[in-house]
Amino acid sequence: MNHRIFVANRGEIAVRIIEACDRLGYDTVLGVSKADKDTLAAKRANRVVTIGGPRPADSYLNMNAVIQAALSTGCTAVHPGYGFLSERPAFAELCAANGLTFIGPSPEALRALGDKLTARQLAESVDVPVSAGGTAQTAEEVRQLAERIGYPTLIKAAHGGGGRGMKLVESTAELAEAWQLASSEAEASFGDGTVFLERFVQDAKHVEVQILGDRHGHRVHLGERECSVQYRYQKVVEEAPCTALPGPTRALLYQSALRIAEALDYVGLGTVEFLYDVQRDSLAFLEVNPRVQVEHPVTEAITGVDLVREQLLAALGEPLSFTQAEVTLTGNAIECRITAQDPENDLQPSPGTVTRWRPSAAGGLRLDTHIYEGYRFPPFYDALMAKQVAWAPDRAAAIERMEQALAAFEIEGVTTSLPLLRRILAHPVFRDNTVTTHWLNELMMEKVNS
């Protein structure tokens, strides 16, 4: 069957999906907003359709407009990329109702994973370790639960992420007000004010396992990534593998991720996320992201597997092209997210026109981007410009290669995060790989206070 894929996204991930489709011989139709008609992805796709105005609600989040555009152009499947409609069960159901293949897991899996409380219960049901936590109805029940967990404790939104609806509580005196505030933020951001408590791990590493499943009962993992370098819960630098994990802990990590994949009869790409408590040498399940991740290139770099290609084939009914025994992890890879943000001004967006764009051309590097000289940032979307990836036989060599790439990168016209990335790579804490999830926040505060 000749497939035609509708790409319902923008930026670098739209380019990445189109390239994977080209390698498979699939036609592509790109749905764009009125602000994205002249992008690099629009130049690469076989056909481009304008689906609405520049605001995401009018275009990339407009389910009916996406479905109508896919049907009217004869597409057989829809790839949602990440963000936007990629985790919406209603959109996956709408695709199925209109005879379109949704490139992602089933609506049932999306629904189960979209609620963090349900996902926690699923993890517990298959003996995957979770942090002490839960939810309660009355103020007294919340107080009792917090005392059982112990302070400090974290209040989190059941639906959503990105730090919204999340509050760190140090004592009982702060609890009631923080609970109400977190619930209100969650209601405003995600349309559901359900929140829950979870033990706060002071010195934690963020580790995640890449999983992949097909419609024939095959499921594999492709190793882990570490994403501990975060600023306000936004990942900045990722790497694979996580060199700080002891062997037995890594084995438990893989077993846990596959147990969840088995429980969901998982099809497609997914990422099972955990916190690794460095002091206790213990893991705790966080959540599952049921889609391709921004940081997927570091996994591709150490496995040699084209994850987007495999994701497409699995959704279209093909069996996985390899077994778990055939997955080999070689070397180390690091990814730096280059953004149009000002590190001297709390990473505030810095829109404008890119007047010079000269990446390094050295070997061992990969650049995923949609930027070109003359590109003008629309004010409606995120500030991601590119993902610079460096691979080398070991972590020290990968860091050195990345440092050289960042030093040679020339960007003019907009203020970027390049200076911050260079500072992170050169810092002894990063080089020793002792970073935890709060390290970059503290580094940024040092800059503000110096």
Side-chain angles (χ1 to χ4, degrees), residues 15-34:
V15 176
R16 174 71 182 85
I17 295 165
I18 291 167
E19 289 176 348
C21 290
D22 287 346
R23 286 193 285 274
L24 286 165
Y26 297 162
D27 286 342
T28 51
V29 178
L30 177 68
V32 298
S33 73
K34 290 180 180 176

Side-chain angles (χ1 to χ4, degrees), residues 1 3 5 24 26 76-78 100-105 212-218 266-269 308-321:
M1 181 177 181
H3 289 288
I5 311 300
L24 286 165
Y26 297 162
T76 54
V78 178
L100 296 164
T101 299
F102 176 75
I103 309 296
L212 174 64
D214 65 19
R215 299 187 187 280
H216 305 274
H218 305 123
Y266 198 86
V267 174
L269 280 180
V308 179
R309 177 184 185 277
E310 295 296 328
Q311 180 191 30
L312 282 158
L313 291 173
L316 295 171
E318 296 291 331
L320 298 185
S321 62

Side-chain angles (χ1 to χ4, degrees), residues 12 61 71 106 122 163 165 170 260 282 284 330 364 369 398 407 410 441:
E12 61 84 22
L61 289 171
L71 291 173
S106 67
L122 171 70
E170 302 281 356
I260 290 174
S282 64
T330 306
T369 186
E410 298 177 33
N441 291 335

